[in-house]
Amino acid sequence: TDLIGISGIEYTMESELTPNIALRTGKQIIEVNNLGKAVRQTDLIEPTSGNNVITTLDLGLQKVLEEALEQNIKNTYAEQMKEYRENQAKYDTEVAERGGAPLQLAQVGAAVVMDVQTMEILGMCSYPPFDPNIFTGGLTTEEFETLFHDPRNPLFNNAISSSGAPGSIFKMVTGVAGLMEGVVTLDEQIDDKGNWPEGSDNSDALHCWIYPYYYLHKDQNLELAIKNSCNFYFYTIADRLGNSLLSKWAELFGLTTKTNVELLGEKAGQMAGQSTLYTPGTAPSGTSKLVYLAIVNLLKDACTELNMTYEDSVYERVALDLMALVDVDKPGTEIRRILRSDLNIPLYYIRSATQTRLDWDVNDFITQIKWNRTANASSGIGQSVTLLTPVGVARYISAIVNGGKVYDATLIKDIVTPDGESIMASQTNLVRDLDIPEEYLTAVMNGMHGVISGEDGTAADEFANFKYKNDVGGKTGTAQVSTIDLENNSWFIAYAPFESPEIAVVVYIPHGYKGILSSYTAREVIEYYLDKKSQPEEVYTIPQSNTIVP
């Protein structure tokens, strides 16, 4: 009749919670007569209860966090629908041009609040939520339909298992890496020159979000570049670093490894590079899967025009052989050889002047999965195929503001026996000390403070009337994930108080349009936390065994 934990803390800490293990199970020794009837009890070992597991969660903060995130997602969706209705013709055209796949708007999200000194999680939620109480008595048909047929997947923990392109919240990694590797100094000023690299006239050239008013980002040092979120500055630093050093610092900040929080299903983030974009011999996924399908269709169309037909498996194999040329510097000759030898496509057709050359088309697709200077620059501002998790970002921001120390995250405050004895008080597990000079971190934190409180900070308008605006540092992140701006990922990160940081807040809304829109949740939580600091601390009692509390 015991309740058994099957997910969450109830699962990972089951051995502590359950009374039903040999160590705690009671025992009776009974003497029986020759008829098997109990005559007397000769010994009795009383059973003991399981231990109490005390989490790090602040219940009041958790409630505020959940309510704020839900409202935030609803507000964001309403903003997107308003924008869509005002520009419906534009968006309908963009949807049609990509084949009719429907718009993806804000429906889910996650938020994490972390103690920056201990990496204790004070609040963590995933939207949409579900009521765990329904599992204790068996699911009704309606409950089953709600949980398992909801396209938003309520059972999926977005806080630890989802990952998305981070956008500008990654810029502090690039900045710190640049300083630590000596490719930039705190005093060096970089002017936004419009297209990047300077002098590029390609219509697809990289440029800052402020373009064409790029002259407003003149004389950017690191602090100003963070405050203004100047893409051109961080393109330049990422270019100087190269992918190897940029990836090194993403890893050092713990963004590409798990935080080891005591929950099932945590996912590690990934840093953009050739191996994540595409590695020959591996199954295509993400961008490389789109390229693979495009090449397959291109080959089918060419052969159909030539009245040649092959099994699908042939086109698929040839597509993979062509994609393997991603490691070849100038693959034109090899592309033509494969098309001729494997599909018998004549050279005159490949080089036909009456159409776009087939070998050029193939090469254009291969270029999309080839790591290059432009892709590396994009990764410096959190674009390309860099993917981060909310809990991983919370650990990274904590390390920025706690002096450069990366710890494992934790949800366990203590384990207490039924007699009240503490047997495992929370202990922080230091992963690494990054040994970042104080002046570097101060510049980064000042830049994040300017985002909120600076006269023209990128989040200044949203915090203009916030009573604690001078006590907060933050950063917006808007990551492009498709050709339609409404589908951008939205991130907002913050820390408080500014002078002596205690908490980091991370809000992530996939397809949330603009990073600034996610600031609502952070404002609500920070206001609650700072208000509470001046009030008496509430005392919570430990619930009885086998009971569920909200």
Side-chain angles (χ1 to χ4, degrees):
T1 59
D2 287 343
L3 296 178
I4 304 299
I6 60 171
S7 68
I9 291 293
E10 287 81 2
Y11 176 84
T12 57
M13 303 302 292
E14 174 65 23
S15 62
E16 294 290 346
L17 293 165
T18 182
N20 195 18
I21 59 175
L23 179 66
R24 303 186 185 112
T25 302
K27 182 186 296 185
Q28 285 180 306
I29 299 179
I30 303 296
E31 181 181 323
V32 299
N33 61 21
N34 61 336
L35 298 177
K37 183 178 180 180
V39 175
R40 65 189 179 94
Q41 176 180 288
T42 63
D43 197 10
L44 173 65
I45 300 175
E46 293 286 353
T48 58
S49 297
N51 296 322
N52 294 303
V53 175
I54 301 175
T55 72
T56 59
L57 295 175
D58 178 319
L59 294 185
L61 184 147
Q62 177 73 19
K63 183 174 185 293
V64 171
L65 188 68
E66 291 180 3
E67 292 174 351
L69 180 63
E70 179 177 5
Q71 189 61 50
N72 202 156
I73 292 171
K74 291 177 179 178
N75 292 346
T76 299
Y77 182 81
E79 180 76 13
Q80 289 171 305
M81 289 305 299
K82 178 177 180 291
E83 177 70 15
Y84 171 75
R85 285 189 292 267
E86 291 175 354
N87 300 276
Q88 185 169 351
K90 166 196 167 186
Y91 288 115
D92 286 350
T93 299
E94 291 175 342
V95 167
E97 288 176 348
R98 71 175 184 188
L103 281 174
Q104 298 186 69
L105 304 180
Q107 294 290 322
V108 302
V112 179
V113 182
M114 182 175 281
D115 183 315
V116 302
Q117 300 299 332
T118 65
M119 266 52 163
E120 292 181 351
I121 294 173
L122 306 180
M124 180 167 67
C125 64
S126 174
Y127 184 85
F130 67 94
D131 180 6
N133 291 285
I134 62 178
F135 286 97
T136 61
L139 296 178
T140 65
T141 301
E142 182 180 359
E143 290 167 340
F144 180 87
E145 292 290 331
T146 299
L147 283 178
F148 294 97
H149 291 168
D150 187 333
R152 300 173 302 168
N153 196 0
L155 294 177
F156 185 78
N157 189 340
N158 290 289
I160 66 169
S161 301
S162 67
S163 61
S168 294
I169 64 168
F170 186 82
K171 288 176 177 175
M172 286 76 76
V173 175
T174 305
V176 170
L179 293 170
M180 294 297 287
E181 297 297 336
V183 303
V184 69
T185 66
L186 285 174
D187 298 327
E188 181 181 356
Q189 296 177 336
I190 296 173
D191 291 341
D192 188 338
K193 298 294 182 62
N195 288 345
W196 187 94
E198 184 180 351
S200 301
D201 56 6
N202 188 326
S203 60
D204 294 327
L206 299 177
H207 53 76
C208 187
W209 63 271
I210 204 170
Y211 186 89
Y213 309 106
Y214 55 85
Y215 54 84
L216 296 175
H217 284 180
K218 182 179 174 61
D219 298 332
Q220 301 290 290
N221 59 20
L222 177 61
E223 182 177 325
L224 285 175
I226 291 173
K227 178 180 81 74
N228 297 325
S229 200
C230 179
N231 290 353
F232 194 97
Y233 179 94
F234 292 101
Y235 290 147
T236 303
I237 303 309
D239 187 53
R240 294 177 184 178
L241 284 165
N243 183 247
S244 177
L245 291 178
L246 198 53
S247 297
K248 165 189 168 182
W249 279 93
E251 181 178 355
L252 287 174
F253 272 111
L255 288 171
T256 59
T257 55
K258 295 180 180 180
T259 68
N260 294 320
V261 64
E262 301 91 348
L263 294 171
L264 289 176
E266 183 184 6
K267 184 177 183 179
Q270 69 175 34
M271 178 61 197
Q274 185 60 66
S275 62
T276 49
L277 195 57
Y278 181 65
T279 301
T282 63
S285 63
T287 300
S288 63
K289 181 66 173 289
L290 296 177
V291 168
Y292 164 73
L293 294 174
I295 294 177
V296 167
N297 289 331
L298 182 68
L299 299 178
K300 284 183 178 180
D301 291 343
C303 289
T304 298
E305 189 172 338
L306 291 167
N307 295 317
M308 298 187 299
T309 304
Y310 297 97
E311 295 291 331
D312 285 350
S313 59
V314 174
Y315 295 117
E316 292 164 0
R317 175 181 56 78
V318 174
L320 291 175
D321 288 344
L322 291 168
M323 289 172 66
L325 300 177
V326 71
D327 292 333
V328 177
D329 186 30
K330 295 180 179 180
T333 300
E334 278 300 295
I335 291 172
R336 291 187 287 274
R337 183 191 65 77
I338 291 173
L339 293 176
R340 294 175 65 189
S341 64
D342 291 14
L343 294 176
N344 294 315
I345 297 177
L347 188 58
Y348 80 84
Y349 181 89
I350 296 173
R351 291 176 166 174
S352 174
T354 60
Q355 62 178 13
T356 302
R357 287 181 52 158
L358 184 60
D359 53 346
W360 291 357
D361 285 343
V362 171
N363 188 56
D364 285 345
F365 284 124
I366 293 174
T367 298
Q368 294 180 36
I369 55 171
K370 183 189 289 285
W371 194 253
N372 54 34
R373 187 183 178 191
T374 300
N376 186 69
S378 291
S379 71
I381 66 164
Q383 290 288 171
S384 189
V385 288
T386 295
L387 302 174
L388 305 182
T389 66
V391 71
V393 170
R395 175 166 71 168
Y396 144 60
I397 298 306
S398 295
I400 288 284
V401 301
N402 72 10
K405 294 178 176 58
V406 179
Y407 297 94
D408 281 339
T410 183
L411 268 168
I412 306 301
K413 187 73 171 179
D414 201 357
I415 298 176
V416 180
T417 69
D419 296 330
E421 178 187 357
S422 172
I423 59 175
M424 194 200 83
S426 178
Q427 295 182 348
T428 55
N429 180 36
L430 180 65
V431 178
R432 66 182 65 88
D433 187 337
L434 300 178
D435 292 321
I436 302 172
E438 182 179 353
E439 61 268 29
Y440 291 177
L441 295 177
T442 298
V444 171
M445 292 170 63
N446 285 341
M448 295 177 69
H449 189 240
V451 168
I452 304 295
S453 60
E455 183 177 342
D456 55 352
T458 52
D461 289 346
E462 296 295 320
F463 283 81
N465 298 317
F466 184 58
K467 65 180 180 179
Y468 293 116
K469 75 172 186 177
N470 292 323
D471 294 319
V472 182
K475 188 74 188 74
T476 57
T478 304
Q480 183 180 0
V481 294
S482 75
T483 58
I484 301 177
D485 59 1
L486 284 178
E487 297 182 333
N488 292 340
N489 284 344
S490 171
W491 293 81
F492 189 82
I493 59 176
Y495 65 89
F498 169 65
E499 293 295 342
S500 182
E502 297 176 14
I503 61 169
V505 183
V506 174
V507 186
Y508 171 48
I509 303 178
H511 308 300
Y513 188 24
K514 299 176 182 178
I516 192 61
L517 295 179
S518 291
S519 65
Y520 173 83
T521 300
R523 292 196 306 274
E524 293 292 299
V525 169
I526 291 170
E527 182 172 352
Y528 169 85
Y529 182 85
L530 295 181
D531 280 349
K532 185 181 176 183
K533 279 175 66 68
S534 61
Q535 299 171 358
E537 186 173 350
E538 295 182 64
V539 178
Y540 297 100
T541 57
I542 297 175
Q544 296 297 314
S545 299
N546 286 344
T547 62
I548 297 177
V549 295

